[in-house]
Amino acid sequence: MPNLLLALIAGLLFPLAFAPYDLWPLVLVSAALGYTALVRSPTPGRAFTAGWLYGVGMFGFGISWLHVSMTDYGFMPLSMSIPFTALFAMGLALFYGLAFWFTKRRGTRAMVFAGTWLVLDWVRGGLLTGFPWLYAGYAAIDTPLAGLAPLGGVWLLTLTLVLAAATAVDLARPRVSAGAALAVVLILVTAGLLAGRHAFTHPSGPRQQVALVQGNIPQDLKWLVTMRDETQEIYHSLTANLPEDTLVIWPESAMIEFYQDIRGFVDGEGERIAAKGGALISGLPWRDASTYPPRYHNSVAVVGSGHDGVYHKQKLVPFGEYVPLESLIRGWIPFFDLPMSSFTPGSPDQPNLFALGQEIAPAICYEMLYPAQVAQRTGNADVLLTISNDAWFGHSAGPLQHFQMTRLRALETGRWLLRGTNNGVTAVVDARGQVRDRLPQFERGVLISEYQPRRGQTPFMVAGVWPTLLLALAMAVLAGGKGGRRSGI
């Protein structure tokens, strides 16, 4: 029982390494204590239980904010939203139960543990719709180890941190050789430190002025029909007196009506900005009437003359943007009937956006958590753009965690990142993942800043996750020792 309690406590420490707490060394402490609980487990079955409790602590605390959207905006009572969130956390915890179980079966070595952890994190990010949240590597965004990101993305950072934590435990274990694991840790850390001194991309033009408009419209009012005219007036007034030659960004679903129904207003705003040498990019719902029944998309478009492009979101959020098994569960509870929850995903081969002579790689909200998709879309783009509406999660840790994870995409691709949101975090992030400018959350305003367009490819953009994944698989399969095998489940 004390060992299971240790696993649960270790998991509860894990989210404290991330925003808004930012106690990043706790990711090492958490992984080390979790691995200690694994080492002390007498059988693979008990190791599975310890790993599952570790995951319950991690997600039970780390994503507890999910119930906010269900309760505050999905009209679900706490008596339902908290159990729903708990069940989701317990399901995600199974990945760590499997990681602990497999490591115990293979011989309980640091390299097996870290390799298995990484592989199952990768699976978690893609299985069904995927849930790529709270990877350990995100905690290192503001550390010297961040130089690993352009080499292997968040995956290589995660592998390094977990391996370092478990190796520290193995070094203290009697009759366990940890020399090989320590050598790998030292090689990875050195690679990260050296890569952090190197710029893999280069400037592709003069700095560009940008204005990120934060409307701060309350989520419980945003989708009301009575807010349509007021919403247009808010964005018109915030945009009216911006400087010339400015790239103007409106956030996800800035307009709450389909573009096809209000294109007169949206195009008019775009033309007015274009007349001053600028361009307008806006998030808005999109209706495609070329099919029957029509398809609906969560989209971002460049509007105004001399520019081009519309992008339809590919990675949709379950229940928020589409309802799984829709014909069976629509109408059960109001949460399954949220506004704009019948979107269709966009095609993977959509072109990027173009404005002011630059290629812009777009991603909408949750899509920024998919490293491979962002790296692939970046290609020859000059800058990354993401728009979001995190108002669904109120004053919880969710929006700040989201922003922290988004920043790593800039470092992985060597590009500046423009992030426009409804109520925060609206910011400009440089090619090293550092925040250059930001607006306060929950305030209406405009962030006027600038960014440096860049071109070139990082090693992660070229090779993706595969080198790291193959290394992790080799560690998981080949590094086990006989001493840790026991009978059991």
Side-chain angles (χ1 to χ4, degrees):
M1 187 62 69
N3 195 52
L4 299 181
L5 181 60
L6 175 64
L8 179 62
I9 292 172
L12 288 168
L13 290 175
F14 189 88
L16 294 173
F18 302 85
Y21 317 103
D22 294 316
L23 303 173
W24 79 264
L26 287 182
V27 79
L28 296 169
V29 175
S30 171
L33 291 178
Y35 183 61
T36 299
L38 165 61
V39 169
R40 294 176 178 177
S41 298
T43 67
R46 290 292 294 275
F48 176 89
T49 303
W52 181 76
L53 285 172
Y54 180 85
V56 167
M58 175 195 297
F59 290 112
F61 177 23
I63 62 169
S64 58
W65 46 263
L66 277 176
H67 83 274
V68 175
S69 61
M70 301 181 195
T71 302
D72 293 355
Y73 308 115
F75 311 106
M76 184 185 289
L78 279 173
S79 60
M80 293 183 66
S81 65
I82 291 179
F84 265 67
T85 304
L87 285 172
F88 186 50
M90 288 188 286
L92 292 170
L94 293 173
F95 286 100
Y96 296 91
L98 288 172
F100 281 44
W101 174 85
F102 183 83
T103 303
K104 197 67 178 181
R105 292 282 297 180
R106 289 295 304 157
T108 316
R109 296 293 185 269
M111 287 206 288
V112 178
F113 181 66
T116 306
W117 179 306
L118 189 282
V119 170
L120 288 174
D121 265 1
W122 177 74
V123 172
R124 171 163 68 88
L127 186 65
L128 300 178
T129 58
F131 190 71
W133 203 273
L134 290 185
Y135 293 147
Y138 286 120
I141 180 67
D142 294 314
T143 74
L145 285 178
L148 287 168
L151 299 181
V154 67
W155 311 113
L156 191 57
L157 275 166
T158 296
L159 185 67
T160 302
L161 288 172
V162 177
L163 180 60
T167 299
V169 176
D170 271 1
L171 287 171
R173 294 170 63 193
R175 297 184 301 279
V176 172
S177 174
L182 181 60
V184 174
V185 170
L186 293 176
I187 290 170
L188 292 174
V189 169
T190 302
L193 295 175
L194 293 175
R197 300 179 179 180
H198 181 73
F200 293 96
T201 59
H202 56 83
S204 59
R207 297 174 81 90
Q208 171 64 52
Q209 186 165 251
V210 63
L212 297 151
V213 182
Q214 184 169 286
N216 194 38
I217 300 173
Q219 190 64 25
D220 54 351
L221 302 177
K222 180 177 176 64
W223 296 101
L224 298 178
V225 173
T226 53
M227 280 295 295
R228 290 178 175 178
D229 291 343
E230 184 176 345
T231 296
Q232 291 184 17
E233 177 56 32
I234 287 170
Y235 280 93
H236 169 77
S237 62
L238 289 172
T239 309
N241 298 311
L242 294 177
E244 296 182 351
D245 305 319
T246 300
L247 178 63
V248 181
I249 309 296
W250 289 357
E252 180 185 16
S253 300
M255 296 295 103
I256 57 176
E257 299 170 79
F258 289 105
Y259 166 74
Q260 288 70 22
D261 295 333
I262 56 168
R263 66 182 305 165
F265 168 75
V266 176
D267 287 352
E269 293 292 300
E271 294 294 345
R272 181 171 57 79
I273 293 169
K276 297 170 64 175
L280 172 62
I281 300 178
S282 177
L284 71 183
W286 192 278
R287 183 176 61 244
D288 180 2
S290 65
T291 63
Y292 183 82
R295 289 177 296 197
Y296 305 102
H297 299 283
N298 184 1
S299 306
V300 57
V302 187
V303 294
S305 59
H307 314 292
D308 181 54
V310 57
Y311 170 77
H312 305 311
K313 186 177 182 182
Q314 299 177 55
K315 297 285 189 180
L316 301 181
V317 178
F319 305 108
E321 294 173 316
Y322 80 100
V323 178
L325 304 175
E326 181 175 8
S327 62
L328 297 177
I329 67 176
R330 278 281 191 195
W332 278 17
I333 53 177
F335 181 68
F336 295 152
D337 298 290
L338 292 173
M340 298 293 176
S341 59
S342 296
F343 285 129
T344 299
S347 169
D349 58 358
Q350 300 173 77
N352 284 329
L353 307 178
F354 291 86
L356 302 181
Q358 296 177 14
E359 182 175 342
I360 301 168
I364 299 176
C365 188
Y366 188 63
E367 289 186 308
M368 283 300 285
L369 303 188
Y370 292 86
Q373 178 178 319
V374 174
Q376 183 178 19
R377 289 204 64 81
T378 302
N380 291 318
D382 298 279
V383 65
L384 300 179
L385 167 67
T386 181
I387 57 173
S388 188
N389 177 26
D390 289 347
W392 289 102
F393 305 111
H395 292 256
S396 71
L400 296 174
Q401 289 178 358
H402 190 191
F403 176 53
Q404 182 183 41
M405 292 183 277
T406 295
R407 288 170 52 204
L408 202 64
R409 302 291 89 81
L411 189 53
E412 289 170 349
T413 60
R415 299 301 196 280
W416 285 58
L417 168 69
L418 313 176
R419 189 172 195 261
T421 70
N422 174 42
N423 69 345
V425 178
T426 296
V428 174
V429 178
D430 69 20
R432 293 189 175 275
Q434 298 304 299
V435 179
R436 288 300 186 98
D437 288 300
R438 65 185 288 177
L439 285 178
Q441 283 184 281
F442 314 113
E443 292 184 13
R444 184 169 296 163
V446 181
L447 176 62
I448 299 178
S449 186
E450 62 179 14
Y451 65 92
Q452 173 63 65
R454 299 184 71 87
R455 291 280 180 98
Q457 294 198 327
T458 64
F460 180 68
M461 291 174 64
V462 175
V465 67
W466 300 109
T468 304
L469 189 61
L470 290 174
L471 174 61
L473 282 168
M475 289 165 53
V477 173
L478 301 178
K482 296 179 180 181
R485 298 189 182 188
R486 302 283 186 90
S487 61
I489 298 174

mmCIF file of all heavy atoms in Angstrom, residues 425-450:
data_model
loop_
_atom_site.group_PDB
_atom_site.id
_atom_site.type_symbol
_atom_site.label_atom_id
_atom_site.label_comp_id
_atom_site.label_asym_id
_atom_site.label_seq_id
_atom_site.Cartn_x
_atom_site.Cartn_y
_atom_site.Cartn_z
ATOM 1 N N VAL A 425 -4.383 33.088 -24.215
ATOM 2 C CA VAL A 425 -3.220 33.968 -24.227
ATOM 3 C C VAL A 425 -2.919 34.379 -25.672
ATOM 4 O O VAL A 425 -2.661 33.526 -26.526
ATOM 5 C CB VAL A 425 -1.986 33.273 -23.631
ATOM 6 C CG1 VAL A 425 -0.765 34.175 -23.690
ATOM 7 C CG2 VAL A 425 -2.257 32.812 -22.201
ATOM 8 N N THR A 426 -3.012 35.695 -25.949
ATOM 9 C CA THR A 426 -2.659 36.272 -27.241
ATOM 10 C C THR A 426 -1.212 36.734 -27.152
ATOM 11 O O THR A 426 -0.855 37.492 -26.246
ATOM 12 C CB THR A 426 -3.588 37.447 -27.574
ATOM 13 O OG1 THR A 426 -4.924 36.957 -27.723
ATOM 14 C CG2 THR A 426 -3.147 38.155 -28.833
ATOM 15 N N ALA A 427 -0.356 36.270 -28.100
ATOM 16 C CA ALA A 427 1.076 36.525 -27.936
ATOM 17 C C ALA A 427 1.826 36.385 -29.249
ATOM 18 O O ALA A 427 1.329 35.797 -30.216
ATOM 19 C CB ALA A 427 1.662 35.560 -26.902
ATOM 20 N N VAL A 428 3.048 36.911 -29.249
ATOM 21 C CA VAL A 428 4.023 36.702 -30.312
ATOM 22 C C VAL A 428 5.207 35.979 -29.695
ATOM 23 O O VAL A 428 5.765 36.426 -28.687
ATOM 24 C CB VAL A 428 4.471 38.036 -30.939
ATOM 25 C CG1 VAL A 428 5.598 37.804 -31.943
ATOM 26 C CG2 VAL A 428 3.291 38.734 -31.618
ATOM 27 N N VAL A 429 5.585 34.848 -30.300
ATOM 28 C CA VAL A 429 6.652 33.986 -29.784
ATOM 29 C C VAL A 429 7.747 33.912 -30.840
ATOM 30 O O VAL A 429 7.464 33.744 -32.027
ATOM 31 C CB VAL A 429 6.109 32.577 -29.477
ATOM 32 C CG1 VAL A 429 7.222 31.655 -28.989
ATOM 33 C CG2 VAL A 429 4.981 32.653 -28.454
ATOM 34 N N ASP A 430 9.005 34.031 -30.432
ATOM 35 C CA ASP A 430 10.089 34.014 -31.412
ATOM 36 C C ASP A 430 10.499 32.587 -31.760
ATOM 37 O O ASP A 430 9.941 31.604 -31.246
ATOM 38 C CB ASP A 430 11.277 34.857 -30.938
ATOM 39 C CG ASP A 430 12.021 34.264 -29.732
ATOM 40 O OD1 ASP A 430 11.886 33.058 -29.470
ATOM 41 O OD2 ASP A 430 12.741 35.023 -29.059
ATOM 42 N N ALA A 431 11.493 32.480 -32.649
ATOM 43 C CA ALA A 431 11.888 31.181 -33.185
ATOM 44 C C ALA A 431 12.560 30.289 -32.151
ATOM 45 O O ALA A 431 12.774 29.097 -32.409
ATOM 46 C CB ALA A 431 12.825 31.377 -34.382
ATOM 47 N N ARG A 432 12.888 30.813 -30.985
ATOM 48 C CA ARG A 432 13.444 30.007 -29.899
ATOM 49 C C ARG A 432 12.407 29.697 -28.824
ATOM 50 O O ARG A 432 12.741 29.254 -27.728
ATOM 51 C CB ARG A 432 14.662 30.696 -29.293
ATOM 52 C CG ARG A 432 15.832 30.754 -30.263
ATOM 53 C CD ARG A 432 17.097 31.237 -29.599
ATOM 54 N NE ARG A 432 18.234 31.182 -30.506
ATOM 55 C CZ ARG A 432 18.991 30.109 -30.724
ATOM 56 N NH1 ARG A 432 18.736 28.987 -30.085
ATOM 57 N NH2 ARG A 432 20.004 30.149 -31.564
ATOM 58 N N GLY A 433 11.149 29.961 -29.144
ATOM 59 C CA GLY A 433 10.071 29.625 -28.229
ATOM 60 C C GLY A 433 9.870 30.623 -27.109
ATOM 61 O O GLY A 433 9.102 30.357 -26.174
ATOM 62 N N GLN A 434 10.530 31.771 -27.184
ATOM 63 C CA GLN A 434 10.426 32.761 -26.117
ATOM 64 C C GLN A 434 9.352 33.796 -26.437
ATOM 65 O O GLN A 434 9.218 34.229 -27.582
ATOM 66 C CB GLN A 434 11.768 33.454 -25.911
ATOM 67 C CG GLN A 434 12.879 32.498 -25.488
ATOM 68 C CD GLN A 434 12.517 31.713 -24.231
ATOM 69 O OE1 GLN A 434 12.283 32.296 -23.175
ATOM 70 N NE2 GLN A 434 12.465 30.381 -24.344
ATOM 71 N N VAL A 435 8.605 34.190 -25.434
ATOM 72 C CA VAL A 435 7.508 35.140 -25.613
ATOM 73 C C VAL A 435 8.084 36.539 -25.773
ATOM 74 O O VAL A 435 8.782 37.047 -24.888
ATOM 75 C CB VAL A 435 6.536 35.096 -24.406
ATOM 76 C CG1 VAL A 435 5.410 36.100 -24.602
ATOM 77 C CG2 VAL A 435 5.982 33.688 -24.226
ATOM 78 N N ARG A 436 7.788 37.186 -26.907
ATOM 79 C CA ARG A 436 8.264 38.541 -27.164
ATOM 80 C C ARG A 436 7.249 39.581 -26.694
ATOM 81 O O ARG A 436 7.622 40.620 -26.166
ATOM 82 C CB ARG A 436 8.560 38.717 -28.653
ATOM 83 C CG ARG A 436 9.802 37.977 -29.132
ATOM 84 C CD ARG A 436 11.056 38.456 -28.392
ATOM 85 N NE ARG A 436 12.267 37.872 -28.916
ATOM 86 C CZ ARG A 436 13.067 38.475 -29.789
ATOM 87 N NH1 ARG A 436 12.747 39.680 -30.254
ATOM 88 N NH2 ARG A 436 14.153 37.878 -30.206
ATOM 89 N N ASP A 437 5.968 39.328 -26.942
ATOM 90 C CA ASP A 437 4.906 40.238 -26.516
ATOM 91 C C ASP A 437 3.665 39.410 -26.224
ATOM 92 O O ASP A 437 3.434 38.376 -26.858
ATOM 93 C CB ASP A 437 4.569 41.264 -27.611
ATOM 94 C CG ASP A 437 5.649 42.317 -27.785
ATOM 95 O OD1 ASP A 437 5.931 43.026 -26.800
ATOM 96 O OD2 ASP A 437 6.195 42.429 -28.896
ATOM 97 N N ARG A 438 2.833 39.895 -25.283
ATOM 98 C CA ARG A 438 1.578 39.214 -24.993
ATOM 99 C C ARG A 438 0.597 40.184 -24.370
ATOM 100 O O ARG A 438 0.990 41.184 -23.756
ATOM 101 C CB ARG A 438 1.779 38.000 -24.081
ATOM 102 C CG ARG A 438 2.263 38.338 -22.693
ATOM 103 C CD ARG A 438 2.554 37.096 -21.863
ATOM 104 N NE ARG A 438 1.357 36.393 -21.441
ATOM 105 C CZ ARG A 438 1.367 35.247 -20.751
ATOM 106 N NH1 ARG A 438 2.519 34.691 -20.432
ATOM 107 N NH2 ARG A 438 0.248 34.671 -20.388
ATOM 108 N N LEU A 439 -0.683 39.880 -24.527
ATOM 109 C CA LEU A 439 -1.745 40.644 -23.874
ATOM 110 C C LEU A 439 -2.135 39.954 -22.573
ATOM 111 O O LEU A 439 -2.044 38.719 -22.470
ATOM 112 C CB LEU A 439 -2.977 40.729 -24.772
ATOM 113 C CG LEU A 439 -2.943 41.678 -25.973
ATOM 114 C CD1 LEU A 439 -4.252 41.567 -26.736
ATOM 115 C CD2 LEU A 439 -2.708 43.115 -25.541
ATOM 116 N N PRO A 440 -2.597 40.697 -21.585
ATOM 117 C CA PRO A 440 -3.163 40.058 -20.399
ATOM 118 C C PRO A 440 -4.402 39.251 -20.773
ATOM 119 O O PRO A 440 -5.129 39.593 -21.716
ATOM 120 C CB PRO A 440 -3.533 41.248 -19.505
ATOM 121 C CG PRO A 440 -2.752 42.409 -20.032
ATOM 122 C CD PRO A 440 -2.606 42.166 -21.496
ATOM 123 N N GLN A 441 -4.638 38.185 -20.046
ATOM 124 C CA GLN A 441 -5.864 37.415 -20.249
ATOM 125 C C GLN A 441 -7.082 38.215 -19.790
ATOM 126 O O GLN A 441 -6.986 39.081 -18.923
ATOM 127 C CB GLN A 441 -5.810 36.108 -19.458
ATOM 128 C CG GLN A 441 -4.951 35.021 -20.069
ATOM 129 C CD GLN A 441 -5.038 33.746 -19.264
ATOM 130 O OE1 GLN A 441 -4.398 33.618 -18.232
ATOM 131 N NE2 GLN A 441 -5.833 32.800 -19.731
ATOM 132 N N PHE A 442 -8.214 37.904 -20.405
ATOM 133 C CA PHE A 442 -9.521 38.408 -19.988
ATOM 134 C C PHE A 442 -9.623 39.935 -20.087
ATOM 135 O O PHE A 442 -10.321 40.569 -19.318
ATOM 136 C CB PHE A 442 -9.845 37.941 -18.564
ATOM 137 C CG PHE A 442 -9.554 36.479 -18.337
ATOM 138 C CD1 PHE A 442 -8.543 36.078 -17.479
ATOM 139 C CD2 PHE A 442 -10.271 35.506 -19.015
ATOM 140 C CE1 PHE A 442 -8.270 34.732 -17.277
ATOM 141 C CE2 PHE A 442 -10.003 34.159 -18.826
ATOM 142 C CZ PHE A 442 -9.003 33.772 -17.961
ATOM 143 N N GLU A 443 -8.909 40.486 -21.058
ATOM 144 C CA GLU A 443 -9.023 41.911 -21.345
ATOM 145 C C GLU A 443 -9.226 42.098 -22.840
ATOM 146 O O GLU A 443 -8.645 41.372 -23.646
ATOM 147 C CB GLU A 443 -7.767 42.672 -20.896
ATOM 148 C CG GLU A 443 -7.572 42.730 -19.395
ATOM 149 C CD GLU A 443 -6.370 43.584 -19.006
ATOM 150 O OE1 GLU A 443 -5.862 44.317 -19.899
ATOM 151 O OE2 GLU A 443 -5.962 43.522 -17.837
ATOM 152 N N ARG A 444 -10.034 43.084 -23.209
ATOM 153 C CA ARG A 444 -10.248 43.408 -24.624
ATOM 154 C C ARG A 444 -9.143 44.349 -25.072
ATOM 155 O O ARG A 444 -8.852 45.345 -24.411
ATOM 156 C CB ARG A 444 -11.622 44.058 -24.810
ATOM 157 C CG ARG A 444 -12.000 44.343 -26.260
ATOM 158 C CD ARG A 444 -13.464 44.723 -26.346
ATOM 159 N NE ARG A 444 -14.298 43.590 -25.932
ATOM 160 C CZ ARG A 444 -15.580 43.681 -25.596
ATOM 161 N NH1 ARG A 444 -16.173 44.877 -25.593
ATOM 162 N NH2 ARG A 444 -16.256 42.606 -25.254
ATOM 163 N N GLY A 445 -8.507 44.019 -26.190
ATOM 164 C CA GLY A 445 -7.433 44.883 -26.651
ATOM 165 C C GLY A 445 -6.797 44.373 -27.928
ATOM 166 O O GLY A 445 -7.227 43.373 -28.516
ATOM 167 N N VAL A 446 -5.750 45.079 -28.362
ATOM 168 C CA VAL A 446 -5.007 44.732 -29.571
ATOM 169 C C VAL A 446 -3.522 44.693 -29.221
ATOM 170 O O VAL A 446 -2.979 45.654 -28.649
ATOM 171 C CB VAL A 446 -5.252 45.754 -30.700
ATOM 172 C CG1 VAL A 446 -4.476 45.354 -31.950
ATOM 173 C CG2 VAL A 446 -6.729 45.872 -31.010
ATOM 174 N N LEU A 447 -2.869 43.584 -29.563
ATOM 175 C CA LEU A 447 -1.427 43.463 -29.378
ATOM 176 C C LEU A 447 -0.753 43.865 -30.688
ATOM 177 O O LEU A 447 -0.851 43.151 -31.690
ATOM 178 C CB LEU A 447 -1.054 42.034 -29.003
ATOM 179 C CG LEU A 447 0.447 41.739 -28.861
ATOM 180 C CD1 LEU A 447 1.057 42.577 -27.748
ATOM 181 C CD2 LEU A 447 0.686 40.262 -28.617
ATOM 182 N N ILE A 448 -0.093 45.009 -30.689
ATOM 183 C CA ILE A 448 0.655 45.456 -31.863
ATOM 184 C C ILE A 448 2.117 45.130 -31.635
ATOM 185 O O ILE A 448 2.738 45.600 -30.671
ATOM 186 C CB ILE A 448 0.456 46.967 -32.119
ATOM 187 C CG1 ILE A 448 -1.024 47.257 -32.381
ATOM 188 C CG2 ILE A 448 1.315 47.418 -33.299
ATOM 189 C CD1 ILE A 448 -1.324 48.723 -32.594
ATOM 190 N N SER A 449 2.659 44.297 -32.497
ATOM 191 C CA SER A 449 4.027 43.824 -32.335
ATOM 192 C C SER A 449 4.629 43.620 -33.719
ATOM 193 O O SER A 449 4.116 44.143 -34.711
ATOM 194 C CB SER A 449 4.031 42.524 -31.518
ATOM 195 O OG SER A 449 5.350 42.102 -31.230
ATOM 196 N N GLU A 450 5.719 42.891 -33.787
ATOM 197 C CA GLU A 450 6.326 42.546 -35.064
ATOM 198 C C GLU A 450 6.980 41.177 -34.960
ATOM 199 O O GLU A 450 7.218 40.667 -33.862
ATOM 200 C CB GLU A 450 7.346 43.605 -35.489
ATOM 201 C CG GLU A 450 8.518 43.766 -34.539
ATOM 202 C CD GLU A 450 9.506 44.808 -35.027
ATOM 203 O OE1 GLU A 450 9.158 45.586 -35.943
ATOM 204 O OE2 GLU A 450 10.634 44.830 -34.495
#
